[in-house]
Each structure stands twice: as structure tokens, then as C-alpha cells.
Amino acid sequence: MKVGLVLEGGAMRGMYTAGVLDVFLDNNIKVDGIIGVSAGVLFGVNFLSKQRGRAIRYNKKYAKDKRYMGIHSLIKTGNIINKDFAYYEVPFKLDVFDEEAYEKSNVDFYATLTNIKTGKPEYIKITNVFEQMEILRATSAMPFVSEIIELETGKYLDGGISDSIPVEKCKELGYDKIIVVLTRPIEYRKKKPNELLAKLKYKKYPNLIRCINNRYMNYNNTVEKIIDMENKKEIFVIRPSKKIDIKRVERDENKLQEMYDLGVEDCENMIKGLNEYLEV
């Protein structure tokens, strides 16, 4: 039996995922593969490196630091999340990521990216976080507030644009049991966007425009499919039990902690059911 784990993105809502994954570490939950999106990738790698508490620790420590994220970075660099500080200074020097432990996990970890030319998702295996940091940047490059990331294989933005919750990809990869960690409560549905914004910003990329403007429908359809699969006990879903008002780029340490604590609490309440699902 192969166990797959799907991690939704959501910027700082990802503190919920960080809380859930720390409870996984406490309870020795094992998986064979992970597919993450955006913040699900950024915070999910700490599960494989077994660095409990790292995500909430550095995010609280640097939340108000203008070098990390916010309008200052957006104006100065074109990225609301600062490339040099968030992706290089923090994991390489200030709160060092354990690359050796990550590689020893022997768990396949895929990052979801959106190819802006095709408007389609691509799934790239992360074998070395340090060497593939630009892929981590690409999966989390939020549209409108991030520069397009150029890799050898093409130009990319946030994977959530094209595949917000890659459950179908996880099934396609052959996982028998699938755990899904969401960052929105069960009643949440996306609303139709102002279609003009994407047309103005990304006029060179018609497939990306179509993808951005249709995202709400694709997301909502995926949520309905997940609920159906969950009811049939085909997958196991962990999602926020209540709504917490938290900004995508949240700088309030208390809000970050609240979101993290909810992930811990919800997962602890569901851990018995999760173990039962995995044992069947």
C-alpha cells in the first residue's frame, strides 16, 4: 500500500498545514509521496526534514521584518515575498533547513507549478531543496504580486492557479491511500474574479489569463469532488474546523500562531480516525 499526501497552498494559511504536519511527526505518520502547492511545498518540506516547529518559528520571528515580505519588498523587488531573504537568507543561514534529513526520508515530493505559456500544471520532483530553491519560488509565486519565474523548462507562476488541490494527480501517480490537508473550511468556495485584471497584467499569455479567470470554477469543482471522495472514504481530509481571518501575507504573529494552533488541535482530534483509515 502506498500512501500519498496532498498539501493545498494559501500563503500564510499554510500555518494550518504546518500545525497538522507537526502532529504527524509527533504520531509517526508515514507517507510514501507528497504533492504540494505553493505554501504546501514551502512548509511541507519541513515534515520530511523532521524539523518540528520550524515553519511557525521563522514565520513569527520575521513576520514584521520588511526584508521578509510585504509592500516594501513588492515595491523594491517586484515580489511581495522577498527572494533573497525568504528563500536564501532564512533557510541557508538564519534558520537552516536540514537538507541531509530531507534526502534521507526517501519520500517523493512533487511541487506543482503553473506554466504560464500553456496554462497547465507541471509537477516537479524536489530531490534537493537547496539546489531547487527556484522551483520552490515558482510554486509559490502569487500572480499579480510576484515576478514570473524563469526555469530551464519554461516560465512559471504559483501552482495553485492551475491545480490548487492536486488529488487527481496523486491518484494518477498510483497512491492507494490519500491524505489531503486543506487550508479552507468545508463551506468555502471561490468567487468569480474581475476578469479584466488578468487580461491587463498578462496580455502576452492568453492561456494563463484563461487559467486565472477559470480558477474559481476549477477550484470549486475540485472541492465538491473531494467531499464526495471523502464521504465514500476513498480519501482522508483534514481541513480547518472554523474560519480564521488571516491575510495571505499576514504579519500579525498572533494570527499566525492561531492558525498553527488550529492545525494542531484539528489534527490531534482526527489522528485516531487517520490511523484507522491507514490501517484498513
Side-chain angles (χ1 to χ4, degrees):
M1 180 185 74
K2 289 176 63 181
V3 179
L5 174 61
V6 177
L7 304 176
E8 183 183 12
M12 286 306 161
R13 290 197 316 276
M15 286 297 99
Y16 180 85
T17 302
V20 169
L21 295 180
D22 281 352
V23 175
F24 279 16
L25 288 174
D26 293 342
N27 289 271
N28 201 31
I29 299 297
K30 303 288 188 183
V31 301
D32 300 292
I34 301 173
I35 305 181
V37 182
S38 194
V41 175
L42 300 184
F43 305 146
V45 292
N46 297 295
F47 174 54
L48 297 189
S49 66
K50 297 185 178 180
Q51 289 176 280
R52 192 191 193 288
R54 179 175 179 268
I56 184 65
R57 180 176 64 240
Y58 76 74
N59 275 286
K60 285 178 66 178
K61 183 173 183 178
Y62 299 113
K64 290 185 170 67
D65 193 320
K66 67 180 182 179
R67 295 174 298 170
Y68 186 42
M69 61 184 179
I71 297 300
H72 179 269
S73 177
L74 181 62
I75 293 171
K76 188 175 179 180
T77 71
N79 295 295
I80 201 160
I81 307 296
N82 186 277
K83 170 189 172 180
D84 293 335
F85 189 78
Y87 294 94
Y88 289 93
E89 193 78 9
V90 171
F92 282 82
K93 298 177 182 178
L94 301 178
D95 197 321
V96 179
F97 178 72
D98 192 338
E99 177 63 38
E100 183 179 358
Y102 175 86
E103 292 182 28
K104 282 182 178 178
S105 73
N106 290 319
V107 174
D108 292 337
F109 195 121
Y110 297 88
T112 308
L113 285 64
T114 299
N115 184 308
I116 65 169
K117 185 176 180 180
T118 65
K120 301 290 185 181
E122 294 181 14
Y123 310 90
I124 300 178
K125 187 185 289 189
I126 305 297
T127 56
N128 185 303
V129 171
F130 285 155
E131 292 178 1
Q132 296 175 281
M133 192 60 74
E134 288 302 290
I135 294 172
L136 272 68
R137 282 189 67 219
T139 186
S140 55
M142 293 181 282
F144 305 108
V145 291
S146 304
E147 292 182 323
I148 292 166
I149 309 297
E150 286 197 48
L151 304 175
E152 290 182 3
T153 50
K155 297 180 179 181
Y156 300 92
L157 282 174
D158 195 318
I161 301 169
S162 55
D163 194 358
S164 296
I165 315 169
V167 174
E168 290 301 321
K169 182 63 180 181
C170 195
K171 288 173 61 180
E172 182 185 310
L173 288 170
Y175 294 101
D176 309 293
K177 296 277 186 173
I178 298 176
I179 308 165
V180 182
V181 181
L182 304 178
T183 57
R184 297 278 199 182
I186 193 167
E187 65 274 6
Y188 176 79
R189 299 294 182 277
K190 287 191 180 296
K191 296 178 180 178
K192 186 176 181 179
N194 181 340
E195 296 185 354
L196 184 60
L197 294 178
K199 290 177 181 176
L200 290 173
K201 178 71 174 178
Y202 300 113
K203 53 189 175 183
K204 292 185 189 176
Y205 304 103
N207 289 324
L208 177 65
I209 293 170
R210 191 178 305 110
C211 187
I212 290 173
N213 288 336
N214 289 336
R215 183 187 180 190
Y216 79 104
M217 288 190 297
N218 295 330
Y219 179 90
N220 294 343
N221 289 337
T222 299
V223 169
E224 295 298 338
K225 288 178 184 177
I226 286 172
I227 291 172
D228 182 59
M229 294 169 72
E230 182 183 17
N231 290 336
K232 293 175 179 175
K233 302 192 184 307
E234 295 174 357
I235 61 175
F236 191 91
V237 182
I238 301 172
R239 59 167 69 81
S241 56
K242 64 180 181 181
K243 179 184 177 182
I244 291 178
D245 290 322
I246 184 169
K247 299 183 183 74
R248 292 182 65 82
V249 182
E250 183 60 69
R251 308 190 75 175
D252 184 334
E253 297 170 35
N254 294 325
K255 285 286 186 183
L256 297 176
Q257 187 68 53
E258 186 181 5
M259 198 75 191
Y260 173 85
D261 289 345
L262 182 64
V264 170
E265 180 184 351
D266 286 349
C267 191
E268 287 178 341
N269 289 337
M270 300 181 75
I271 203 72
K272 181 181 177 182
L274 175 58
N275 279 315
E276 290 172 353
Y277 168 76
L278 295 175
E279 289 169 3
V280 174

